[in-house]
Amino acid sequence: MTELHLWLRHEARTTERRTPIVPDDARRLVGNGVELTVEESPQRVFPIEEYEEAGCRVAPAGSWVTAPRDAVVLGLKELPGEPAELTHRHIFFGHAYKGQPGAAELLGRFAAGGGTLFDLEYLVDDTGRRLAAFGFWAGYLGAALAVLRQRGRLRAPLTPTTKEDLDETLKPAADDAEFTGLVIGALGRSGRGARAAFATAGVDPTCWDLAETRDLDRPALLRHDVMVNAVLATTPVPPFLREQDLDTPDRRLRTLCDVTCDVGSPLNVLPVYDDTTSWDKPVRRLRDTPPLDLIAIDNLPSLLPLESSADFSAALLPQLLDFGGSGPWGRCLDRFRDASRAHGLDKGESLER
């Protein structure tokens, strides 16, 4: 690996507590010759002092915009709206390759500044399997919130917690009514997380995956009380729920949690809502009679920031130590170039500077 300067940025989103690199793994990066600058962040689950002790340099929040041109800016969620021209190489979840709102604008900022996006969603091995993901914890929290809503115990605003404390709230009480659960995408990372949370809550959910969704039985879907969607669609498929399904007279479905949150994308399998929910207002009522509540929060793992950050960082660390022009990072670059060309933004940018 050529000499690498990573710049861990502060997250602009106020509800983002996670980090892609925890202090223990920062120490390993530094020990392997990586220069690591970490921005101060009052909301990051790990204090800046732990990064200093790991041998990292400290910079003010938001100073990545004036970082050296060869620095690779590392984050998780969306960038702030400025600057209009992005000159650096960036690693984060861009959500810009599946027709999402704002995709063309983001890619245009990279084209204007000559920068590059290495989207973490497309950091994959040669079989297409993601190498670093928050999926398990997204599924776990999605199912957990759905259970708490169904049992009348979900309190807003949501606040970060620990798995131990969350699991205490999930344990069934003697007066809890029984209900049926459904996990779609049950064999993937998010699906496994959702199944684990249901198990903690004492619920044995129905589990559907590819075999069950090729010829979807919507009446059977609507006969469940709680549904968790954990499907990450990569090609268009018929929607799992349509507006007319919500008005089916015998609909039993009362709580719907969309872990994937592909709202606005042509790949969205739940085109029955047009905006995500939030920590302040985690639930939206889609129908009053009979009631149907939606939970669609696009940074669920941030509610368990310690556990989810540690798992993600452990998976990302070996990839950062092998940052270069081939393998997974090369595939990331190819996806960026393909998406840029699709928007008329031809990119010839090289991975190396």
Side-chain angles (χ1 to χ4, degrees):
M1 182 186 73
T2 57
E3 185 175 341
L4 176 63
H5 181 187
L6 285 175
W7 193 287
L8 180 61
R9 62 176 169 87
H10 160 74
E11 296 288 335
R13 186 184 296 207
T14 58
T15 58
E16 190 50 69
R17 304 290 191 267
R18 295 171 294 175
T19 176
I21 292 294
V22 302
D24 283 347
D25 291 331
R27 181 176 290 105
R28 295 182 179 95
L29 286 167
V30 171
N32 279 274
V34 175
E35 182 180 354
L36 182 52
T37 300
V38 180
E39 291 187 359
E40 296 171 323
S41 176
Q43 64 201 41
R44 190 186 294 126
V45 66
F46 295 97
I48 194 66
E49 290 79 11
E50 293 190 25
Y51 289 97
E52 285 187 286
E53 293 169 3
C56 304
R57 296 183 180 181
V58 175
S63 58
W64 60 267
V65 297
T66 57
R69 180 75 185 275
D70 64 351
V72 180
V73 182
L74 176 61
L76 287 176
K77 300 300 285 185
E78 66 274 3
L79 295 171
E82 295 292 335
E85 299 180 358
L86 297 171
T87 62
H88 294 90
R89 291 170 290 176
H90 283 258
I91 300 172
F92 69 105
F93 289 101
H95 302 300
Y97 297 169
K98 295 190 288 187
Q100 297 98 324
E105 179 185 1
L106 176 63
L107 293 173
R109 291 170 68 190
F110 279 106
T116 306
L117 169 62
F118 296 92
D119 195 312
L120 285 164
E121 185 176 336
Y122 299 90
L123 184 68
V124 298
D125 64 17
D126 54 10
T127 70
R129 181 174 176 78
R130 290 174 62 179
L131 294 169
F134 287 100
F136 179 88
W137 294 110
Y140 197 95
L141 280 152
L145 297 184
V147 166
L148 293 175
R149 178 64 179 182
Q150 184 70 17
R151 289 175 172 166
R153 296 207 292 269
L154 185 62
R155 302 288 178 261
L158 304 178
T159 56
T161 185
T162 65
K163 183 176 182 294
E164 182 180 9
D165 288 343
L166 177 62
D167 287 354
E168 279 298 313
T169 69
L170 284 179
K171 291 179 181 178
D175 58 348
D176 283 335
E178 292 188 2
F179 63 87
T180 57
L182 170 65
V183 179
I184 303 185
L187 300 182
R189 284 190 180 98
S190 293
R192 293 197 301 271
R195 287 156 49 198
F198 272 125
T200 300
V203 177
D204 184 16
T206 302
C207 296
W208 289 359
D209 209 85
L210 286 174
E212 293 80 9
T213 54
R214 285 194 185 98
D215 186 17
L216 187 74
D217 186 345
R218 288 196 184 89
L221 184 158
L222 294 168
R223 285 195 293 269
H224 291 84
D225 298 299
V226 175
M227 172 187 152
V228 176
N229 174 51
V231 171
L232 181 64
T234 56
T235 57
V237 297
F240 298 160
L241 280 176
R242 306 158 303 181
E243 283 289 335
Q244 60 264 38
D245 299 320
L246 307 191
D247 296 317
T248 302
D250 59 351
R251 168 177 55 81
R252 184 171 169 178
L253 186 65
R254 297 293 184 268
T255 304
L256 170 64
C257 180
D258 187 10
V259 172
T260 306
C261 291
D262 265 341
V263 59
S265 165
L267 304 185
N268 185 14
V269 297
L270 294 176
V272 295
Y273 69 100
D274 58 8
D275 198 7
T276 56
T277 62
S278 66
W279 287 21
D280 287 336
K281 297 180 179 179
V283 178
R284 180 177 304 129
R285 179 61 55 90
L286 296 182
R287 291 292 188 275
D288 289 318
T289 308
L292 175 59
D293 291 330
L294 168 75
I295 299 171
I297 299 170
D298 65 359
N299 68 333
L300 283 168
S302 195
L303 291 165
L304 287 178
L306 279 169
E307 294 88 347
S308 62
S309 294
D311 282 358
F312 188 87
S313 178
L316 185 61
L317 174 66
Q319 306 308 319
L320 292 175
L321 289 172
D322 197 31
F323 187 82
S326 60
W329 297 108
R331 286 187 282 272
C332 269
L333 185 59
D334 288 342
R335 291 303 296 261
F336 171 67
R337 288 172 172 165
D338 289 345
S340 297
R341 280 193 290 268
H343 284 84
L345 305 166
D346 192 29
K347 288 288 296 180
E349 185 74 11
S350 170
L351 182 69
E352 303 297 339
R353 292 255 172 120

